[in-house]
Amino acid sequence: MTGPDRGTRMSRRIRRTLEEAGLEADGVVRSLEVAMAHRRARLADDHHPHFLHPGRTVLVAVGDAELRDPELLALAPLLDSLHPELAPGGAGLVLPLPLRGLADADGAPVTDPDTLLESLVTLDPGPLALVLSEALDHLRHLHLSDDPALQRRVALRTEAVLLPLAGRMGGTLDRRYRWWWRRVGRGMA
C-alpha cells in the first residue's frame, strides 16, 4: 500500500504551517497544487531534488523570511529562477518582472551580477524576501547538482548579489545565507 506522493504531503504540510501561523492557506495551497502538477508532468521521480522546490520556497518564505503577505506567499510556489522550465509560467502565468527575481523576461537566469543587483536592490522588502527565499532553497540543494559549472556560477552570483541583499534584510534569512556561504558556497566559487 502506498500513500500520497511527496507533493501531496508537502501541500498538507504547507496548509498546517500557514494555519499554525494564523495565515490564509487556500490561495497558497492552490498555487502549490498548480506548481506540483507542472512538476509531476516534467519530473518522473518525486524524489528528484527539484520536485519539492515550490513547497520548500513557501516554507523558507514563512519561516526564515517571516513573510506574511498572502499574495506574495501565493506566488512563492510559482517561482523557479534556476530551472524556469519547471515553473508553471508556460501555462499562461506571467509573473510581474520584479518577482522573476533571478530570471530575465524570457525566464533565463540573469548572469550579469550588476544587472541582477540593479534589478533586485530596488524591490520592496516583501518581494525581495520572496526572491531571496526562492533562491535560498536552490542554494540549500545546490550540492546535489552534478554540474560544477552551474555550482560555481550560482555560488559567484550568491557572493556578488544575494549575500549583500540578504545582509540588508537581516534576520534569519541573512543568517541562513551567511551560513551557506561559509559552509558550502565558498568551496564552490
Side-chain angles (χ1 to χ4, degrees):
M1 179 187 287
T2 61
D5 78 2
R6 295 176 73 219
T8 302
R9 291 194 310 266
M10 177 61 84
S11 289
R12 292 175 185 163
R13 179 178 177 194
I14 295 298
R15 181 172 295 283
R16 275 192 319 272
T17 299
L18 293 171
E19 288 174 351
E20 288 169 2
L23 300 171
E24 159 56 35
D26 289 343
V28 179
V29 171
R30 277 193 302 275
S31 291
L32 180 61
E33 289 169 356
V34 167
M36 296 313 298
H38 190 77
R39 282 174 192 261
R40 280 185 192 96
R42 283 155 185 78
L43 298 172
D45 181 6
D46 72 355
H47 284 83
H48 189 285
H50 305 309
F51 185 72
L52 293 177
H53 175 70
R56 292 189 311 246
T57 297
V58 173
L59 294 173
V60 172
V62 170
D64 295 341
E66 299 179 12
L67 193 60
R68 297 298 183 258
D69 181 317
E71 291 179 13
L72 289 175
L73 289 172
L75 289 173
L78 307 175
L79 303 176
D80 198 316
S81 61
L82 200 53
H83 304 285
E85 71 281 3
L86 294 176
L93 173 74
V94 178
L95 293 172
L97 188 57
L99 291 182
R100 292 183 194 151
L102 309 179
D104 67 16
D106 297 322
V110 174
T111 56
D112 177 50
D114 292 333
T115 301
L116 183 57
L117 184 59
E118 183 179 319
S119 71
L120 295 177
V121 76
T122 60
L123 288 179
D124 289 334
L128 180 58
L130 181 56
V131 168
L132 290 171
S133 296
E134 190 272 335
L136 181 59
D137 181 64
H138 278 310
L139 293 179
R140 292 172 50 216
H141 296 86
L142 189 60
H143 68 282
L144 299 173
S145 172
D146 58 1
D147 183 350
L150 173 70
Q151 290 176 334
R152 178 173 166 69
R153 191 169 57 249
V154 171
L156 290 172
R157 177 184 72 191
T158 300
E159 179 185 29
V161 177
L162 301 177
L163 276 171
L165 290 172
R168 288 178 60 162
M169 294 288 299
T172 303
L173 197 59
D174 176 40
R175 286 192 303 278
R176 299 272 192 252
Y177 266 93
R178 285 186 287 122
W179 182 93
W180 181 85
W181 178 252
R182 280 192 317 272
R183 304 284 276 183
V184 181
R186 190 176 284 149
M188 290 180 178

